[in-house]
Structure formats: C-alpha cells, structure tokens
Amino acid sequence: LNMAEITTSIAAAEASNDNEAPVANISLQNIIDGTNERSIPKTKFIEDIDMFSGSFDPPASPELLIGAYSDLHSKFKQIEQQLTEKKAHREKSIPEIEKSIKLVRHLIQKKEEGDSAITRYNLADIVYAKAEVDCSQGIVNLWLGADVMLEYTYEEALELLTAKESKAKQDLEDVTEDLSFTRNQIITCEVNISRVYNWDVRRKRASAAGSN
C-alpha cells in the first residue's frame, strides 16, 4: 500500500459527490504533512478547523473532512496489518538464522580440530537416525527458499548467514519503527475526526440558537 493508492481512494470518494452541489476538492496532500523515511504518510493535525475548512474553495464541509480522514484511517489500518505480519515474520526468521550461524561455527570448529560432527536427522515423524558428518571437506548446503539449496564452503556460508542476520535485524528495527509511526497516524486521524464532528455539532447548535 503506497501514497498513490491512498490518493486514488480519496479521489474515488470525491467523485461520488459529483452529482451533488459543488464541494471542496480535498487531495491527499491536503491532509498529510509529508512522509517518514519509508514513504508512509504523516497525518496532518488540524489545529484550527474553521481556518482549515475555509482554506478550500468552496469551504470543505464537515462530512467531506470526516470522509477524507476516515478513508485515510482505513488505509493506515491496512498498513498496520501488513507491518504486523512482516514484523512477526522477521521475529520468527532471526532465531532460525542465528541457529544456522551457530551450527556453521560448530562445523568450522570441528574441522579445525580434525574431528567429525555427530548429529541426528529426521527420517519421519518422531523418527530420527544418528549420523556422522565429515567436516574435513568444509562444505555445507543452505536452503535459500523457494525449494532452492546451494552448496557453500563453511566460510562462505558464515559470511552469507551473517549478512542475512544483519539485514533481518535492520528490517525488524525498521518495521517496528514504522508500526509505531503508523499507529500514531491512526490516533491522529481519529482525533481529527472527533474534533471535526464536535466542531460541526457546536456550529449547528449556535446556528439553531441564533435562528431562535
């Protein structure tokens, strides 16, 4: 989900009002205040609703403002879900990479000692067999995903896994930061929607009191 998709959604919501009286044209740029480092929009907080509404020609109605921020809120919820899933994947993959690194280092140690490694491998469910691994060759096979396995020397495998570990940890840090950022934008959207609604209620009450 990116800014272009959010813009398209807001434009579609505006188009639905084409058969009604002229309304303000609210674009994505009107309700965001830039983006973070990974292009997630930052919700603009409405300090002065009267001034913000009047900045459009014609002035934006409460319904239009609430609709724009509600749509942005919905998109942020989708981003939040995607980031939550990505974070869970990273949290699961990092321990697996660390385990592989530990195993390769164990094999390197056995090779340096001129010894073999004893392990157990899975034959079937809850059935394991004992095996002796010849470490003198210094060769290990790594799963790369998508049913792809490649052969590496111990040193190459350690370098590859270490790089993957570093990238996975950086990705986890980034996605954690993005998730916190996105949740803050969701809260800002909700606050804006609430404030616009209350502003509209006060206006209608004042108008009714004036007419009486």
Side-chain angles (χ1 to χ4, degrees):
L1 193 67
N2 52 40
M3 288 182 64
E5 291 173 306
I6 295 176
T7 303
T8 301
S9 182
I10 292 176
E14 293 169 357
S16 66
N17 293 318
D18 286 348
N19 59 344
E20 302 174 359
V23 295
N25 181 26
I26 299 181
S27 70
L28 176 65
Q29 299 304 322
N30 297 132
I31 59 175
I32 68 168
D33 190 16
T35 67
N36 75 347
E37 295 178 355
R38 284 162 290 280
S39 300
I40 299 177
K42 179 180 180 182
T43 307
K44 179 182 291 184
F45 177 73
I46 307 176
E47 295 282 356
D48 187 322
I49 302 176
D50 277 306
M51 183 180 297
F52 185 69
S53 172
S55 66
F56 299 94
D57 184 23
S61 67
E63 293 78 13
L64 192 60
L65 290 175
I66 290 174
Y69 276 105
S70 294
D71 186 72
L72 187 59
H73 178 274
S74 175
K75 299 305 177 186
F76 276 129
K77 293 298 286 185
Q78 293 180 36
I79 294 174
E80 180 187 29
Q81 181 179 354
Q82 293 170 359
L83 291 174
T84 300
E85 293 173 355
K86 185 176 180 180
K87 182 181 179 182
H89 175 70
R90 284 287 177 256
E91 289 175 335
K92 180 181 178 181
S93 66
I94 290 175
E96 294 176 351
I97 297 173
E98 291 174 339
K99 183 178 178 181
S100 297
I101 290 175
K102 184 178 179 180
L103 176 59
V104 172
R105 284 177 174 159
H106 176 69
L107 293 175
I108 292 174
Q109 181 182 351
K110 289 295 184 181
K111 179 185 176 184
E112 292 174 348
E113 295 172 352
D115 199 2
S116 58
I118 304 300
T119 185
R120 289 176 176 80
Y121 62 95
N122 186 228
L123 287 176
D125 291 341
I126 69 170
V127 178
Y128 291 84
K130 188 176 181 180
E132 182 176 352
V133 179
D134 181 8
C135 300
S136 63
Q137 300 298 318
I139 298 296
V140 66
N141 293 289
L142 297 181
W143 283 110
L144 301 182
D147 295 329
V148 176
M149 175 182 280
L150 289 181
E151 185 178 272
Y152 295 90
T153 65
Y154 291 163
E155 292 72 20
E156 291 172 340
L158 186 59
E159 182 180 354
L160 175 63
L161 291 169
T162 302
K164 287 186 65 176
E165 179 191 31
S166 178
K167 184 178 184 306
K169 287 182 175 179
Q170 183 60 55
D171 286 348
L172 178 59
E173 183 179 330
D174 290 344
V175 76
T176 300
E177 182 180 319
D178 285 347
L179 189 55
S180 176
F181 177 84
T182 299
R183 286 170 175 164
N184 285 336
Q185 307 321 302
I186 290 173
I187 292 172
T188 304
C189 282
E190 292 170 348
V191 171
N192 280 338
I193 291 169
S194 177
R195 293 182 74 244
V196 170
Y197 176 81
N198 292 333
W199 168 73
D200 185 39
V201 170
R202 289 194 298 270
R203 285 200 320 158
K204 289 178 179 178
R205 287 177 179 173
S207 177
S211 63
N212 291 333

